[in-house]
Amino acid sequence: MTNAETIAKLNEALEKLIVAYEQLQNSYDQLQDEHNTLEDENEKLNSENNKLKDKISALEAETRNLEDNLNNLQDSSEKDSSNINSMLSKIEGLLSKKAHPEKHKYDYDETSKARETIQEVIVEKKKEDETEEKEDKKDSSFSTTSSSSSEKIDLNRMASLLNGFNN
Protein backbone atom coordinates (compact mmCIF):
# COMPACT_ATOMS: atom_id res chain seq x y z
CA MET A 1 0.00 0.00 0.00
CA THR A 2 1.25 3.38 -0.95
CA ASN A 3 1.20 6.56 0.99
CA ALA A 4 -1.50 7.99 -1.26
CA GLU A 5 -3.76 5.02 -0.66
CA THR A 6 -3.17 5.19 3.08
CA ILE A 7 -3.92 8.92 3.12
CA ALA A 8 -7.07 8.36 1.07
CA LYS A 9 -8.27 5.65 3.44
CA LEU A 10 -7.45 7.82 6.45
CA ASN A 11 -9.35 10.76 4.85
CA GLU A 12 -12.33 8.51 4.17
CA ALA A 13 -12.23 7.18 7.75
CA LEU A 14 -11.88 10.73 9.11
CA GLU A 15 -14.89 11.92 7.08
CA LYS A 16 -16.97 8.98 8.38
CA LEU A 17 -15.83 9.82 11.91
CA ILE A 18 -16.74 13.51 11.46
CA VAL A 19 -20.21 12.56 10.08
CA ALA A 20 -20.72 10.13 12.96
CA TYR A 21 -19.58 12.81 15.46
CA GLU A 22 -22.02 15.37 13.96
CA GLN A 23 -24.86 12.85 14.16
CA LEU A 24 -23.92 12.06 17.74
CA GLN A 25 -23.75 15.78 18.56
CA ASN A 26 -27.21 16.35 16.99
CA SER A 27 -28.63 13.43 18.97
CA TYR A 28 -27.09 14.84 22.14
CA ASP A 29 -28.54 18.30 21.45
CA GLN A 30 -32.00 16.78 20.84
CA LEU A 31 -31.77 14.82 24.09
CA GLN A 32 -30.74 18.00 25.94
CA ASP A 33 -33.72 19.86 24.47
CA GLU A 34 -36.06 17.03 25.44
CA HIS A 35 -34.52 16.92 28.92
CA ASN A 36 -35.03 20.68 29.36
CA THR A 37 -38.61 20.41 28.10
CA LEU A 38 -39.31 17.57 30.54
CA GLU A 39 -37.81 19.57 33.40
CA ASP A 40 -40.02 22.55 32.51
CA GLU A 41 -43.09 20.33 32.37
CA ASN A 42 -42.11 18.74 35.67
CA GLU A 43 -41.82 22.17 37.30
CA LYS A 44 -45.22 23.18 35.92
CA LEU A 45 -46.80 19.97 37.19
CA ASN A 46 -45.23 20.42 40.63
CA SER A 47 -46.49 23.99 40.75
CA GLU A 48 -49.97 22.89 39.69
CA ASN A 49 -49.86 20.10 42.28
CA ASN A 50 -48.99 22.59 45.03
CA LYS A 51 -51.83 24.90 43.95
CA LEU A 52 -54.28 21.99 44.04
CA LYS A 53 -53.09 21.00 47.52
CA ASP A 54 -53.63 24.60 48.67
CA LYS A 55 -57.15 24.57 47.18
CA ILE A 56 -57.92 21.27 48.92
CA SER A 57 -56.77 22.70 52.25
CA ALA A 58 -58.88 25.82 51.73
CA LEU A 59 -61.94 23.73 50.82
CA GLU A 60 -61.45 21.49 53.85
CA ALA A 61 -61.24 24.55 56.11
CA GLU A 62 -64.35 25.99 54.48
CA THR A 63 -66.17 22.68 54.94
CA ARG A 64 -65.28 22.63 58.63
CA ASN A 65 -66.52 26.23 58.94
CA LEU A 66 -69.80 25.38 57.19
CA GLU A 67 -70.29 22.33 59.40
CA ASP A 68 -69.76 24.50 62.49
CA ASN A 69 -72.28 27.03 61.18
CA LEU A 70 -74.77 24.24 60.45
CA ASN A 71 -74.36 22.89 63.98
CA ASN A 72 -74.92 26.39 65.38
CA LEU A 73 -78.06 26.78 63.29
CA GLN A 74 -79.37 23.41 64.42
CA ASP A 75 -78.71 24.31 68.06
CA SER A 76 -80.46 27.64 67.58
CA SER A 77 -83.40 25.92 65.89
CA GLU A 78 -83.67 23.42 68.74
CA LYS A 79 -83.60 26.23 71.31
CA ASP A 80 -86.29 28.15 69.43
CA SER A 81 -88.41 25.02 69.19
CA SER A 82 -87.95 24.36 72.89
CA ASN A 83 -88.94 27.95 73.72
CA ILE A 84 -92.02 27.70 71.53
CA ASN A 85 -93.01 24.37 73.09
CA SER A 86 -92.53 25.90 76.54
CA MET A 87 -94.76 28.82 75.56
CA LEU A 88 -97.39 26.44 74.23
CA SER A 89 -97.36 24.53 77.50
CA LYS A 90 -97.72 27.76 79.47
CA ILE A 91 -100.55 28.90 77.20
CA GLU A 92 -102.35 25.61 77.54
CA GLY A 93 -101.89 25.83 81.31
CA LEU A 94 -103.28 29.36 81.37
CA LEU A 95 -106.19 28.40 79.15
CA SER A 96 -107.05 25.40 81.29
CA LYS A 97 -106.93 27.51 84.48
CA LYS A 98 -109.21 30.17 83.04
CA ALA A 99 -111.55 27.73 81.40
CA HIS A 100 -113.68 27.41 84.55
CA PRO A 101 -117.34 28.14 83.77
CA GLU A 102 -117.63 30.72 86.57
CA LYS A 103 -114.77 32.93 85.33
CA HIS A 104 -114.80 32.72 81.55
CA LYS A 105 -116.56 30.56 79.07
CA TYR A 106 -113.93 29.91 76.43
CA ASP A 107 -115.23 28.54 73.24
CA TYR A 108 -113.49 25.35 72.21
CA ASP A 109 -113.14 26.72 68.67
CA GLU A 110 -111.21 29.79 69.87
CA THR A 111 -108.76 27.63 71.81
CA SER A 112 -108.20 25.27 68.90
CA LYS A 113 -107.78 28.23 66.54
CA ALA A 114 -105.12 29.69 68.84
CA ARG A 115 -103.31 26.35 68.94
CA GLU A 116 -103.51 26.01 65.15
CA THR A 117 -102.11 29.52 64.71
CA ILE A 118 -99.21 28.79 67.04
CA GLN A 119 -98.53 25.45 65.34
CA GLU A 120 -98.56 27.19 61.94
CA VAL A 121 -95.95 29.63 63.24
CA ILE A 122 -93.82 26.71 64.41
CA VAL A 123 -94.13 24.93 61.05
CA GLU A 124 -93.25 28.14 59.17
CA LYS A 125 -90.23 28.66 61.43
CA LYS A 126 -89.01 25.12 60.77
CA LYS A 127 -89.46 25.60 57.01
CA GLU A 128 -87.51 28.88 57.18
CA ASP A 129 -84.73 27.17 59.14
CA GLU A 130 -84.54 24.34 56.59
CA THR A 131 -84.46 26.84 53.73
CA GLU A 132 -81.73 28.84 55.48
CA GLU A 133 -79.69 25.69 56.05
CA LYS A 134 -79.94 24.76 52.37
CA GLU A 135 -78.94 28.27 51.33
CA ASP A 136 -76.06 28.28 53.80
CA LYS A 137 -74.73 25.05 52.33
CA LYS A 138 -74.74 26.61 48.88
CA ASP A 139 -73.33 29.95 49.99
CA SER A 140 -69.62 29.58 50.70
CA SER A 141 -69.31 33.09 52.10
CA PHE A 142 -71.76 32.47 54.94
CA SER A 143 -71.06 34.50 58.07
CA THR A 144 -72.49 33.75 61.48
CA THR A 145 -73.27 37.43 61.90
CA SER A 146 -75.45 37.48 58.81
CA SER A 147 -78.60 36.23 60.51
CA SER A 148 -80.75 39.20 61.45
CA SER A 149 -83.24 39.32 64.29
CA SER A 150 -86.07 40.00 61.84
CA GLU A 151 -85.67 36.47 60.40
CA LYS A 152 -86.16 34.82 63.80
CA ILE A 153 -89.46 34.41 65.59
CA ASP A 154 -89.99 37.38 67.85
CA LEU A 155 -90.71 35.65 71.14
CA ASN A 156 -91.74 38.90 72.85
CA ARG A 157 -94.29 39.60 70.15
CA MET A 158 -95.63 36.07 70.39
CA ALA A 159 -95.88 36.40 74.18
CA SER A 160 -97.81 39.67 73.88
CA LEU A 161 -100.18 38.06 71.36
CA LEU A 162 -100.70 35.17 73.72
CA ASN A 163 -101.30 37.53 76.63
CA GLY A 164 -104.27 38.79 74.65
CA PHE A 165 -105.85 35.36 75.13
CA ASN A 166 -105.44 35.68 78.90
CA ASN A 167 -107.73 38.72 79.17
Side-chain angles (χ1 to χ4, degrees), residues 102-114:
E102 302 122 24
K103 294 183 179 180
H104 296 285
K105 291 185 179 181
Y106 282 105
D107 190 0
Y108 177 76
D109 292 336
E110 290 178 16
T111 305
S112 63
K113 286 180 184 176

Side-chain angles (χ1 to χ4, degrees), residues 82-119:
S82 174
N83 287 340
I84 289 170
N85 287 334
S86 173
M87 283 183 142
L88 279 174
S89 298
K90 289 178 183 178
I91 292 167
E92 288 176 351
L94 289 172
L95 290 175
S96 67
K97 286 180 185 177
K98 293 194 175 190
H100 296 296
E102 302 122 24
K103 294 183 179 180
H104 296 285
K105 291 185 179 181
Y106 282 105
D107 190 0
Y108 177 76
D109 292 336
E110 290 178 16
T111 305
S112 63
K113 286 180 184 176
R115 287 182 183 160
E116 287 175 11
T117 304
I118 292 168
Q119 288 175 349

